[in-house]
Every structure is written in structure tokens, then in C-alpha cells.
Amino acid sequence: MNTPVRGRRRSDTRTSALTQISRLTTEPSGRRRAEAPAPARSVARKAGVAAATAGLLAVIAIPVAHAGGDGEPASMDRASDASALGLQVPQDANLRFDRAELASKAAQEEARAAAASAEKKKADAAAQKAAAEKKAAADKKAKAEAAAKKKAAAIAAAKKADAAKAKTAGFATGTLKAPIPHMKQTSGFGYRMNPITGAAGELHTGIDYAMGCGTPVNASDGGKVVEAGFQVGGGGNRIVVEHRGGLKTTYNHLQSIGVSLGQKVAQGERIGELGTTGNSTGCHLHFEVVKDGQTVDPAGWL
């Protein structure tokens, strides 16, 4: 018969590790057999507490097997446990904090405002460029139109002048005009001593007007050129214009002839240049008026 021994207790194998730690750290009650001195018991108790604590931590650290099978890694159990505890494990260790979704609302608004301002400036620049091009095109068109109008006006004026010239060409006005401007008479119509030969009592059939060589000579009246060329008799380069009413005018000693035989000229039209060709002592124009085949004093016609 087993008699219970006072001071001893039956070991309970079902006692948990926490219970064992509690018993080890609790001072025993009742009377026990003094197997060792008090200091030895204290050291043994502390060692037991440490061993029990280490065992408990080891048990807690062992991963619980997943219900799906033995082959799945323990990391999935840890992830499940972490999810159960409300923890979020980052999928990417290299996190970026400069993404747009991480920027503050104020920064996003500022970026949108800057983009809108840039677009507005771009649109304004395009509008200004288009306006400048439109203005340049309008100015070019206006200049072209002005030039065309000016050219048309010049053509119209030329046609009008040609029409007036054609209307009066070949027709005498009845009044003769001076063949050169600012005429300076050096010898009149009548008898005189010949300046070339010195012969006296020779008839001077016209009026001499002294001017510089190259001075323009104009037709005294409208008519038809019946003679234009060099006269062997002493007149040099000579032009004869026939007017109506049996009237003719002659232009002698010319430097150059500007009309041709048979040409119709208007009153005041340039027909040649003053010179000193033929029997001449200097630059002058010998001007004659012929009425019905007879030379007359030009002074009565001018």
C-alpha cells in the first residue's frame, strides 16, 4: 500500500509550461525535506525558471502547420498571421516617394496651374504670330494694289497724252511758238554782210538764236516733217515741218535730228538739238518761216 508522503505531491504531466514556470517561481508552502541548503535551492530555482522560459519561447517560435498540407512554406503562415494581426507587408522594398499619387494636393494644384499657364502662353504666342502674318499679308496686298493703281494711272495718262498728241499732230494751230526757250536773237531777218564770206548785201532768210549746243529744239506748230537730214547748201543738219495754209518752218545747223521724214509732230514737240553744223560760226539756231514758198520774217509769226 502506497502511503502518501507528507510534503510530496504527485507529478502532473498535464501541467503546462506556464504552470511549471509559475510553480518554479513560487515559494513552496508546507514542509519539505531539506535536501540542500537555501542558497543552492535558490540557484536551482532560477536556473529552472530560465530553462522553462527558453522552452516556452521556443514553442511559440515554432510555426503552426498550414491546414492545406505539409509541403507549403512557413512564410505563407507568417503572412497569414501577419494579415490576421492587421499588418501590411510591403511588396516592393524600393519605395518611391516622388510619384504623383504621393504628392500633396497643393503641389498637384500648383503643377496644374503651371501647365495651364504654359498652355496659355503658347496659345497667346501662336495667336500673335498669326496676327502678325495676317497683317504682313494685308500690307503686302495693299502695296501691290497701290502699285497696280499707280501703274494703271500712269498708263491712262500716257494714253491720254498720246491721244492728245495724235489729235494735234499734223494740224497747225494758226499761231507759231518759239522753237527754243529764252531765245536770244543775234541776227535778224534781212540783208546783211555774210559772216563767213564777208560779202555785203546778202539776204539773211531767217533769225539766228544763240544758245548752248544741245539745247532742245521744238516744233513751232503741228505738222508733217517733209525734210530731215544734212543740207549741202550750208544749213547743216536741217528739219522742215509743213503746216496747213501753205506755211512751213525750218530748223538749221542742228547738232542732232530727232524725227524722221513723213513723221507727224505736235506743237511744242521736241524734234532735235541746237548745234553748229554747216556754215556756222558758233552754236545757234537759224529759224525760218516760209509762206507759200517765200521766206518771210519770223518775227511777224511768233
Side-chain angles (χ1 to χ4, degrees), residues 11-299:
S11 75
D12 188 358
T13 59
R14 294 175 299 177
T15 305
S16 65
L18 293 175
T19 304
Q20 294 293 334
I21 293 172
S22 176
R23 287 179 179 177
L24 290 174
T25 56
T26 305
E27 190 69 25
S29 61
R31 193 170 58 180
R32 295 183 181 179
R33 184 169 52 188
E35 296 178 354
R41 289 198 303 269
S42 177
V43 172
R45 187 180 296 112
K46 291 179 179 180
V49 170
T53 302
L56 178 60
L57 292 176
V59 170
I60 293 174
I62 295 173
V64 179
H66 194 273
D70 296 337
E72 296 186 10
S75 60
M76 296 182 64
D77 293 333
R78 293 194 189 98
S80 300
D81 294 340
S83 299
L85 294 175
L87 298 177
Q88 295 182 357
V89 179
Q91 299 298 325
D92 187 4
N94 298 323
L95 297 179
R96 294 177 55 190
F97 296 96
D98 57 347
R99 293 177 295 180
E101 60 267 24
L102 299 179
S104 64
K105 185 176 182 180
Q108 294 177 7
E109 291 294 335
E110 184 177 356
R112 282 194 290 268
S117 178
E119 289 295 330
K120 186 176 183 302
K121 288 182 179 179
K122 186 177 180 181
D124 292 343
Q128 291 178 359
K129 183 179 180 181
E133 291 177 351
K134 185 176 180 181
K135 185 177 182 301
D139 292 342
K140 184 177 181 180
K141 183 179 179 181
K143 288 182 180 179
E145 291 177 352
K149 288 182 179 179
K150 186 176 180 180
K151 184 177 181 180
I155 293 174
K159 287 182 178 180
K160 185 177 180 180
D162 290 341
K165 180 179 177 181
K167 186 177 180 180
T168 59
F171 297 94
T173 62
T175 304
L176 299 180
K177 288 187 176 181
I180 58 175
H182 312 294
M183 293 187 300
K184 180 181 179 181
Q185 182 176 324
T186 57
S187 180
F189 178 84
Y191 291 94
R192 66 170 188 173
M193 185 177 62
N194 192 310
I196 302 297
T197 63
E202 187 176 309
L203 179 63
H204 187 230
T205 56
I207 298 177
D208 291 340
Y209 299 101
M211 294 289 291
C213 287
T215 301
V217 176
N218 306 319
S220 292
D221 201 356
K224 179 181 179 181
V225 177
V226 293
E227 186 180 335
F230 188 83
Q231 186 194 32
V232 179
N237 291 328
R238 173 185 171 95
I239 296 174
V240 178
V241 178
E242 184 179 33
H243 313 288
R244 68 179 180 177
L247 189 68
K248 294 180 181 180
T249 54
T250 70
Y251 311 84
N252 304 270
H253 309 300
L254 298 175
Q255 176 176 287
S256 63
I257 297 174
V259 292
S260 59
L261 187 64
Q263 179 179 341
K264 292 182 178 182
V265 295
Q267 187 179 52
E269 183 177 347
R270 181 172 178 172
I271 59 175
E273 293 179 342
L274 185 145
T276 183
T277 58
N279 296 334
S280 173
T281 56
C283 294
H284 76 286
L285 172 67
H286 176 80
F287 178 68
E288 296 178 348
V289 175
V290 181
K291 174 65 175 173
D292 296 329
Q294 298 292 325
T295 57
V296 296
D297 188 358

